[in-house]
Amino acid sequence: MATNLKLIRIENRLDELFNNKIDLSNITNENERNNKYYSCSIAALILVKRCGISYETASQAITDGYHDIGIDAVYSDTTQKKLFLVQSKWRSNGSGGISQEEATTFVNGVKRIINLDLEGCNEKLTSKKSEITEAIQDMEFQIEMIFCHTGNQSISDYNLRPITELLENVNGDDPTDTLILFSEEKLQDIYDFLANSQNFDNITLNNVILNNWGFVNTPFKAYYGTIPVSVVGEWYGKYGNRLFAKNIRYYKGSTMVNQGIKEVLKNEPQNFYYYNNGIKILCKNITKNIAYSTTRDMGVFTLEGVTLVNGAQTTGVIGSVFAENQDVISDAKVFIQMIDLGDTSEEQIAQITKLSNTQNRIDGKDFASLDPNQERLRKELSLGGIQYLYKTGAKIEDPEHQISLDETIISQACLLSDLSLIALVKRNIGALTENIDKPPYKLLFNNSTNSFSLYNGVQVLRIVENCILRNVTNSTGRKRLVLVHGNRFLLYLILCRIKQQEEFNTCYIPKEKLTQLISPSFGDYWEKVYNAMEKRFPDSYPAHIFKNVGRLKEILILSVEE
């Protein structure tokens, strides 16, 4: 039994929350069983904290046991697009921190997860292979490593070294391309969460000062105006993802869009209000205080039962910048809507949430319809009985006679000799069409773009994707990940050969002929790329390898030598 007062209180609360929920059927020793119970409980608790899931769901994520490869919990959060991998340690005396040996064990387990190497793992882990595989293969997913323990010390830089090295190997230099994260939850963090989670679904924000406010009375009472960004930063620092309990997404971290929000906030705080759409809060009750009530210049409000249903990314970015340096954003303001729903039904709340997050996103490629070359290519292709769908919203219904802009963006990039474009296709394909008046778009589509090679390139793309689809289900581990993450590099290599065909730029090559040229040799390309990757980058995450132009060049050289 713990003697530390905080631990005693944590134990009692964990007993209330996780009694009969943690599976410890494979442990017979009573002392070991007791320690494992609390260790597993804090792992589940952290998933509740980070993901907003129920205690039952979090309990089902536990993988701790014999042959758990140092991974005590696995949870794929499709809302946040994060795969959470948790290691937990119950320190019965409430002191100490993470040792380098513990960090190394955790890292080795994470590496096996990344490489989809679950051979010999316990049943709890292998049962999660499907959700792990889906997350690892999804380009939008991040992996978050969490080490939680009931010690009172943060991990030292020396002991952190195995984790630091893993992060450096997997992540690139681009802050918008962070594939794997690490965080630590200690005794105080666990205690604070349990102390505050009594009112998990009932956040109250007092003395919210709204400037230049307005009012709507029907069908719901609502207020709108501006608030200092620093106030939102304080909210996020205190409540984190609890603010988004009813949102369709949580803060996703360092994405391309979020990095853009961050740059504006740090470099142009005075313009943040004009560039940002703001945030929307639903409340069970809003009370306007009597203070400053004579004008609309300023109003003071109390918000009860708060949930933020639009603006999660804005709020998360504000919170991260606020944590770094509060002074940077002291002059920034953000627009806010506050809606008093009273006793409104859950269905109505869900409808408001859904429609608040439903919008037609405008991508750079949408502006391609303004490029005269796209219309020229459409006309040229139509003479050959091919319909070129280059405007947003058009869908392929007849693949034999139709090609799309999405396909041509990829195949045109892979047709060129510039490996930086291949890396860009994997890292941020939207950058290829960000500006139709300059490169890289102009490298793909210009006055010299040939409609024959454009069509043939798309056909090669489709054949390569079919080859990948046939092979991916029967492959495992890192070799399988070459198909998933190296698909564009494989296309590039195959196009380097196919585009040497004499008729590639002069006629539409029949699909059957291209298939005969590609399918028999696809396995050789795959094998060479895999061997080169394992020889040069055996410890690196394939998703990052194929986004990095320097590493692609090294793999290309080794592939040719083989």
Side-chain angles (χ1 to χ4, degrees), residues 280-300:
K280 179 181 290 185
I281 288 177
L282 304 184
C283 309
K284 293 180 180 178
N285 183 58
I286 299 178
T287 304
K288 184 181 180 302
N289 301 345
I290 194 168
Y292 307 104
S293 60
T294 58
T295 72
R296 294 289 181 91
D297 294 338
M298 180 186 295
V300 182

Side-chain angles (χ1 to χ4, degrees), residues 6-20:
K6 287 181 179 178
L7 275 178
I8 292 173
R9 290 174 175 174
I10 290 173
E11 281 183 351
N12 289 335
R13 189 72 178 115
L14 292 176
D15 287 339
E16 294 174 12
L17 297 174
F18 294 103
N19 185 36
N20 296 324

